């Protein structure tokens, strides 16, 4: 029985109970019928309780109280089937519907270990039991669950943002919001390499000589940046347009990274090189010896 | 042979009869609190069985969950 059917049955039983009570008040009716109705009501209540996760009664009607993070970490789920029943019951809410569709794709973006632990947690095992089963400390499990929940929610937010901004697989980077989304996927180092490779159109060798690093380092970082973009966007975007407009954002990221509070010597050096490149053109520097 | 639903109904009828007789005894005041307590315990057990038979466990449920199969323990620092 679905929860809608159960609630309908509860309403019907309550009406019958009221009628029986009125009859008994007039000295008519059978007391056994009233006790039987009570038993039926207890059964319906038990089934309704079973469809709701323990400790948290779902608010029906899509009030927006539940968030995607609830799915992965915040619920104290005691029974996987019960959890699945519950997600089916509350699927009236559009946000939950969307999240339920998106979650499997996010699960792919998690590491094997994170996925394993999240699934065990969704199976209803406590953190202590998971830790015992896998053979690690409880704090490791707790940390993994919170990290994967954060990662899943970050990717979900990004994908939803990109879905809104992209047009038939194309993301236009002249939009500041699209630039912000794209750069939030990459680390500061990856941002610089990505910028030099795809915006200024330098070759791997040129980037290597400009930044004074090995070619394999450049190649590896660029590939990792591309992999990260592909993985995070889940194949929703085929091509990027107006990549030239990334320049100012990349410089501002480097500027933030070179502030005294976020001191990073490597990034500081990159910022110096990038600002000179953007001012004089990279060909000028390529003719010179590497700086480091 | 009766089905699960029929059995659940029989247990519900039994629970209703027991609840009715407990109510009657309470009004008459002819039972000690210990005797009443044991009757309540029996009522609770009958209700639990009725609930078990009434279809809540119709949906497939596993003891451990699918993901638990084929999982091996990781090496810990205590292992040599």
């Amino acid at each position: 029985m679905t929860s809608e059917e159960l609630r309908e049955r509860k309403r019907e039983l309550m009406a019958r109970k009221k009628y029986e009570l009125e009859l008994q008040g007039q000295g008519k009716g059978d007391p056994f019928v009233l006790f039987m109705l009570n038993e039926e009501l207890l059964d319906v209540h038990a089934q309704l309780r079973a469809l709701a996760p323990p400790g948290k009664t779902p608010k029906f009607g899509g009030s927006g109280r539940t968030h995607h993070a609830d799915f992965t970490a915040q619920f104290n789920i005691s029974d996987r089937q019960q959890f699945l029943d519950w997600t089916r019951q509350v699927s009236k809410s559009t946000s939950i519907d969307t999240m339920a569709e998106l979650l499997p794709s996010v699960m792919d973006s998690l590491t094997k270990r994170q996925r394993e632990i999240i699934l065990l947690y969704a199976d209803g095992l406590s953190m202590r039991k998971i830790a015992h089963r896998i053979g690690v400390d409880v704090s490791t499990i707790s940390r993994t669950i919170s990290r994967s929940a954060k990662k899943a929610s970050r990717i979900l937010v990004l994908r939803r943002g990109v879905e809104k901004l992209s047009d038939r697989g194309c993301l236009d980077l002249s939009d500041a919001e699209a630039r912000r989304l794209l750069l939030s996927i990459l680390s500061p180092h990856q941002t610089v390499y990505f910028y030099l490779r795809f915006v200024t159109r330098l070759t791997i060798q040129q980037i290597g000589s400009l930044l004074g690093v090995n070619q394999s380092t450049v190649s590896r970082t660029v590939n990792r940046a591309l992999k990260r973009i592909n993985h995070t966007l889940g194949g929703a975007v085929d091509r990027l347009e107006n990549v030239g407009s990334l320049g100012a954002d990349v410089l501002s990221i480097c500027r933030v990274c070179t502030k005294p509070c976020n001191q990073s010597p490597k990034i500081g050096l990159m910022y110096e090189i990038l600002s000179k490149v953007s001012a004089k053109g990279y060909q000028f520097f390529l003719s010179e010896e590497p700086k480091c | 042979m009766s089905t699960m639903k029929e059995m659940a109904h029989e247990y519900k009828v039994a629970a209703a009869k027991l609840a009715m007789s407990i109510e009657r005894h309470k009004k008459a005041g002819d039972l000690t609190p210990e005797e009443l307590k044991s009757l309540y315990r029996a009522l609770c057990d009958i209700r639990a069985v009725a609930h078990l038979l009434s279809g809540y466990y119709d949906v497939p449920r596993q003891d451990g969950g699918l993901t638990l199969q084929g999982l091996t323990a990781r090496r810990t620092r205590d292992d040599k």
Side-chain angles (χ1 to χ4, degrees), chain A residues 31-32 35-36 39-40 42-43 46-47 50 79-82 85 113 116 119-120 123 125 133-136, chain B residues 9 12-13 15-17 19-20 23 47 50-51 54 56 59-61 64-68 71 73-76:
Chain A
F32 175 72
F35 279 96
M36 200 58 211
E39 293 303 320
E40 292 280 354
L42 279 173
D43 196 43
Q47 293 207 33
D79 184 334
R80 189 184 179 83
Q81 184 63 43
Q82 183 180 307
D85 289 346
R113 200 67 180 172
E116 193 177 279
L119 284 173
L120 284 173
D123 266 334
L125 264 76
R133 193 173 282 267
I134 295 181
V136 292
Chain B
H9 183 72
K12 271 182 215 164
V13 170
K17 281 181 182 171
M20 203 164 71
E23 201 68 22
R47 277 179 181 158
H51 170 52
S54 67
Y56 171 58
V59 283
R61 278 154 203 275
L66 281 176
T67 47
L68 298 184
L71 200 76
R74 208 184 199 183
R75 224 157 57 93
T76 61

Side-chain angles (χ1 to χ4, degrees), chain B residues 12-40:
Chain B
K12 271 182 215 164
V13 170
K17 281 181 182 171
L18 187 55
M20 203 164 71
S21 66
I22 289 174
E23 201 68 22
R24 203 181 303 131
H25 283 302
K26 260 172 83 179
K27 270 184 191 167
D30 55 353
L31 288 180
T32 60
E34 283 73 29
E35 282 169 330
L36 268 179
K37 208 173 176 180
S38 65
L39 282 180
Y40 272 122

Side-chain angles (χ1 to χ4, degrees), chain A residues 173-243:
Chain A
L173 292 178
S174 58
D175 185 1
E177 183 64 18
R179 284 202 298 275
R180 193 190 62 78
L181 279 176
L182 184 78
L183 292 179
S184 69
I185 298 170
L186 304 174
S187 70
H189 278 89
Q190 285 173 339
T191 309
V192 171
Y193 284 98
F194 181 83
Y195 169 77
L196 288 173
R197 180 75 186 93
F198 298 105
V199 181
T200 60
R201 302 273 178 187
L202 295 182
T203 62
I204 301 285
Q205 289 84 355
Q206 286 170 337
I207 298 171
S209 64
L210 185 69
L211 299 178
V213 290
N214 200 304
Q215 288 176 19
S216 62
T217 309
V218 180
S219 167
R220 195 171 55 238
T221 315
V222 168
N223 280 332
R224 277 187 188 160
L226 287 179
K227 202 174 169 189
R228 200 186 254 205
I229 292 173
N230 272 335
H231 218 172
T232 314
L233 299 185
V237 174
D238 297 322
R239 57 185 193 282
L240 303 170
E241 275 187 2
N242 297 324
V243 277

Side-chain angles (χ1 to χ4, degrees), chain B residues 69-80:
Chain B
Q69 290 170 8
L71 200 76
T72 50
R74 208 184 199 183
R75 224 157 57 93
T76 61
R77 64 180 80 146
D78 297 334
D79 294 337
K80 283 178 184 172

